[in-house]
Amino acid sequence: LLREDTKLMRWTCLYRATLIQDELKVDKFPHDRHDLCIKLAILANRRPGKIWDRKIWKLALATQEDSQGSTRIPHGLAVDQVKIPDFSFNKEVGLQFGFEPLMHGPAGESENDEYLKVRLSVMRDSGYYDLNIMPLLALLNLVAVSLMCLEAKHLFQRGLLTLNIAFVEIGMRMTVDKHLPSASYQIKLQRILNEMFCSLLFLVLEANLVYNLDNFGWSNKSTNAIDAFFGTIALSHIATIVYFYYADKRKVRGSLKLD
């Protein structure tokens, strides 16, 4: 509906958008944050004398006065009805509107104009990984570290139990990989799984080391000191991974003011 007297046009559109994953950076998965954007512009008939002459028809956000009482929402959008599966957003902030410079037209004859950029900042819902994968992964590695309490001569028991835990983590990795985004680079959760698995292999190598030192005549006190040293390193590694994993979640939630 176009009104020449008020220079207002009521334009209602329903958009269905398809999200293309290739344009998203998921290296922080499952604590990745994204800005979903829709760009709206008038590309045709914007020259002087045309129906959408840019000197006459300026792009601007509708206000309560412009709506003439037809809606109680200034921008004409019910933001709380936005639903994005597996993602959360701050409903108090909602959609953000802004005008950006737009260059269009043939090369050498480009025209300066503006387009409306609608942005929604979202965060992935990571509860499945936060409550199921990470606690179990950390607990498995803690059990493996606890096996260092066995004396150096018990290589078979230490190595066998640690490798059994490693096989459990391989099964977890195969299950989790089915739900991870497809990317050509390593994402955070893959790096954590790799580090936890490599630390188990490191514990097996350490068990072999103290076993051979025990056979060479080293005292139990010396081999126990080596176990304590490397056990402290392993525990620190687990604590560091867990701390920064949940710290990233708090950081992203804080940036979106979800807490």
Side-chain angles (χ1 to χ4, degrees), residues 224-237:
N224 289 339
I226 295 175
D227 280 337
F229 175 74
F230 287 107
T232 302
I233 294 177
L235 288 175
S236 301
H237 179 251

Side-chain angles (χ1 to χ4, degrees), residues 238-248 250:
I238 297 172
T240 301
I241 289 178
V242 173
Y243 172 80
F244 283 105
Y245 176 85
Y246 290 103
D248 286 344
R250 292 190 297 269

Side-chain angles (χ1 to χ4, degrees), residues 32-88:
D32 45 328
R33 169 185 171 174
H34 306 283
D35 290 332
L36 307 182
C37 300
I38 297 179
K39 300 179 180 180
L40 304 174
I42 302 176
L43 301 179
N45 300 318
R46 291 290 282 169
R47 293 185 177 182
K50 299 294 184 179
I51 187 173
W52 301 122
D53 188 339
R54 71 173 58 87
K55 295 182 179 180
I56 301 177
W57 303 99
K58 299 293 185 180
L59 296 179
L61 295 177
T63 63
Q64 191 72 31
E65 181 180 356
D66 295 330
S67 67
Q68 299 180 354
S70 62
T71 178
R72 291 175 297 175
I73 304 174
H75 299 153
L77 292 171
V79 180
D80 58 349
Q81 293 183 4
V82 175
K83 293 183 180 179
I84 305 177
D86 300 327
F87 285 88
S88 300

Side-chain angles (χ1 to χ4, degrees), residues 4 17 24 26 28 39-40 42-43 52-53 58 61-62 76 92 111-112 126 138 153 164 208 223 236 242 248 253:
E4 289 288 348
L24 300 179
V26 292
K28 298 296 184 180
K39 300 179 180 180
L40 304 174
I42 302 176
L43 301 179
W52 301 122
D53 188 339
K58 299 293 185 180
L61 295 177
E92 294 182 0
E111 302 173 358
N112 295 324
S126 58
K153 62 182 179 181
N164 284 338
N208 279 276
T223 55
S236 301
V242 173
D248 286 344
R253 291 185 64 87

Side-chain angles (χ1 to χ4, degrees), residues 107-122:
E109 300 180 7
S110 59
E111 302 173 358
N112 295 324
D113 204 349
E114 290 183 329
Y115 69 90
L116 175 62
K117 184 176 182 179
V118 186
R119 186 180 66 182
L120 179 65
S121 298
V122 299

Side-chain angles (χ1 to χ4, degrees), residues 183-224:
S184 59
Y185 47 84
Q186 186 181 62
I187 64 177
K188 182 177 74 172
L189 190 59
Q190 290 175 330
R191 175 180 55 79
I192 291 175
L193 290 168
N194 290 339
E195 289 187 12
M196 289 290 198
F197 179 76
C198 290
S199 67
L200 295 178
L201 301 183
F202 171 79
L203 293 178
V204 175
L205 293 176
E206 190 276 340
N208 279 276
L209 172 64
V210 294
Y211 175 76
N212 284 283
L213 292 178
D214 182 69
N215 289 338
F216 288 148
W218 285 46
S219 64
N220 286 337
K221 183 178 181 181
S222 299
T223 55
N224 289 339

